[in-house]
């Protein structure tokens, strides 16, 4: 049985909750979750890798069990998410690590790489986008909010925060929905229902435009530093399309690209296959 410890770190007064497993003497692996999830999304992956890696999976600020301060005290932007997680890695002694990025975890993790390229041993991207090629038409309502951040366009996005939409994100593109545990999307819906959580997420929808603006810088980082790179992609993802995975090869010709017949939350159905791919990739 793998022991997983559930800890909190004081990051300059900000409480970051995280899951930790594996020996501190093993190579380090940082897992960064996406919207609207938490480190809980890695519950099946961590036991499959903990014999080989020292794994840490924090909840991003405003997500899961990490602090969700009032918007008047903390600006919910991807720069700030990355700033807190960057300091978190320093507090827990992650001075060089491979990083697994998914969804919101990708622009967070890629910002860490821009700031400290010497700390990044490798990148695993599971539906973590860095190219316009990967953005589907499912982003159009959010794009409209970027172009005109009106109250009406903000209000229109509340439909994305409903339990029905959260469940849809988990099961869309999955051949057999009975393989998807309701625990993940029910827990996400619980966190989204907390007072003020809706406004936090709407702020981040607006700020996601900053990630697209940084795509050229992320791509320049890939070309300059050539980190070992593995994409493990749910090919039926309604938000991040397969061309977004294939685009990494433009800047990282040696990138390994693996597609799985599943949706956005690929770990719900393919945790073992993804773990096997990671073990081979990081053993090279």
């Amino acid at each position: 049985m793998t022991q997983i410890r559930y800890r909190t770190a004081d990051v300059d007064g900000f409480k970051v909750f995280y899951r930790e497993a594996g020996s501190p003497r093993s190579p380090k692996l940082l897992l960064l979750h996406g919207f609207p999830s938490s480190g809980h999304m890695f519950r099946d992956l961590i036991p499959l890798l903990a014999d080989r890696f020292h794994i840490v999976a924090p909840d991003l600020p405003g997500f899961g069990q990490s602090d969700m301060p009032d918007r008047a005290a903390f600006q919910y932007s991807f720069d700030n998410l990355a700033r807190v997680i960057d300091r978190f890695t320093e507090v827990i002694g992650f001075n060089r690590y491979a990083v697994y990025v998914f969804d919101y975890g990708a622009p967070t993790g890629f910002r860490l790489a821009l700031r400290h390229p010497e700390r990044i041993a490798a990148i695993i991207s599971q539906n973590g986008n860095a190219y316009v090629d990967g953005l589907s038409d499912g982003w159009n309502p959010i794009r409209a909010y970027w172009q005109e951040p009106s109250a009406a366009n903000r209000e229109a996005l509340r439909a994305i925060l409903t339990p029905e939409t959260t469940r849809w994100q988990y099961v869309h593109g999955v051949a057999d929905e009975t393989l998807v545990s309701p625990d993940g999307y029910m827990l996400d819906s619980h966190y989204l229902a907390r007072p003020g959580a809706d406004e936090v997420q709407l702020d981040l929808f607006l700020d996601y435009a900053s990630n697209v603006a940084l795509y050229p810088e992320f791509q320049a980082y890939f070309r300059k530093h050539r980190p070992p790179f593995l994409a493990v992609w749910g090919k039926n993802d309604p938000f991040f399309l397969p061309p977004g995975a294939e685009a990494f090869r433009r800047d990282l010709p040696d990138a390994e690209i693996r597609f799985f017949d599943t949706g956005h939350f690929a770990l719900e159905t393919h945790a073992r296959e993804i773990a096997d791919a990671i073990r081979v990739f990081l053993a090279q």
Side-chain angles (χ1 to χ4, degrees):
M1 294 290 291
T2 299
Q3 279 195 330
I4 300 176
R5 300 186 185 277
Y6 303 90
R7 304 184 184 277
T8 59
D10 183 340
V11 180
D12 303 329
F14 198 110
K15 185 195 80 175
V16 174
F17 174 86
Y18 64 103
R19 291 161 170 80
E20 182 176 26
S23 169
R25 296 182 296 276
S26 296
K28 300 187 184 305
L29 177 59
L30 177 68
L31 308 179
L32 296 178
H33 69 83
F35 167 84
S37 193
S38 66
H40 180 259
M41 67 166 281
F42 299 113
R43 65 195 179 279
D44 294 329
L45 183 68
I46 291 172
L48 298 173
L49 296 174
D51 65 317
R52 173 70 178 80
F53 303 100
H54 179 200
I55 301 171
V56 163
D59 291 354
L60 297 175
F63 291 79
Q65 292 292 314
S66 289
D67 278 349
M68 186 180 69
D70 187 271
R71 295 162 60 235
F74 183 85
Q75 181 185 6
Y76 285 91
S77 68
F78 284 88
D79 278 347
N80 275 341
L81 299 191
R83 177 180 58 80
V84 173
I85 297 302
D86 188 25
R87 279 291 295 136
F88 166 76
T89 63
E90 295 172 350
V91 168
I92 65 167
F94 263 43
N95 53 11
R96 184 163 172 80
Y97 51 87
V99 61
Y100 181 117
V101 300
F102 164 71
D103 189 79
Y104 279 14
T108 304
F110 296 155
R111 278 173 168 82
L112 302 187
L114 288 180
R115 294 178 183 186
H116 306 289
E118 74 284 356
R119 296 182 184 177
I120 304 301
I123 297 173
I124 302 122
S125 176
Q126 183 229 310
N127 300 72
N129 198 58
Y131 295 85
V132 173
D133 314 52
L135 297 176
S136 76
D137 289 343
W139 283 89
N140 287 348
I142 297 177
R143 284 191 181 100
Y145 187 34
W146 299 343
Q147 293 162 6
E148 185 183 347
S150 64
N153 282 339
R154 184 179 179 94
E155 194 65 26
L157 297 179
R158 291 187 186 276
I160 301 175
L161 306 177
T162 64
E164 295 77 15
T165 303
T166 299
R167 181 184 183 277
W168 177 83
Q169 289 184 70
Y170 273 76
V171 301
H172 178 86
V174 175
D176 181 357
E177 292 185 10
T178 67
L179 296 175
V180 179
S181 168
D183 297 331
Y185 56 79
M186 293 294 287
L187 183 61
D188 291 355
S189 293
H190 165 76
Y191 288 134
L192 284 174
R194 292 176 296 173
D198 54 347
E199 301 299 332
V200 165
Q201 297 304 330
L202 292 170
D203 286 353
L204 288 171
F205 288 163
L206 181 61
D207 191 64
Y208 200 93
S210 72
N211 301 327
V212 179
L214 278 176
Y215 282 177
E217 291 189 43
F218 296 157
Q219 295 157 18
Y221 159 80
F222 299 145
R223 289 192 299 272
K224 180 177 179 180
H225 295 282
R226 296 295 179 96
F229 191 93
L230 170 67
V232 284
W233 216 267
K235 69 178 184 179
N236 305 321
D237 189 329
F239 306 108
F240 298 118
L241 303 173
E246 293 162 345
F248 283 103
R249 284 206 179 106
R250 290 207 294 263
D251 299 306
L252 293 165
D254 296 329
E256 297 183 32
I257 312 296
R258 298 280 301 275
F259 291 106
F260 298 92
D261 187 14
T262 190
H264 185 60
F265 283 95
L267 288 176
E268 297 297 310
T269 55
H270 288 72
R272 182 163 295 280
E273 293 88 340
I274 289 172
D276 289 345
I278 291 170
R279 293 175 78 93
V280 172
F281 168 66
L282 291 180
Q284 295 175 6

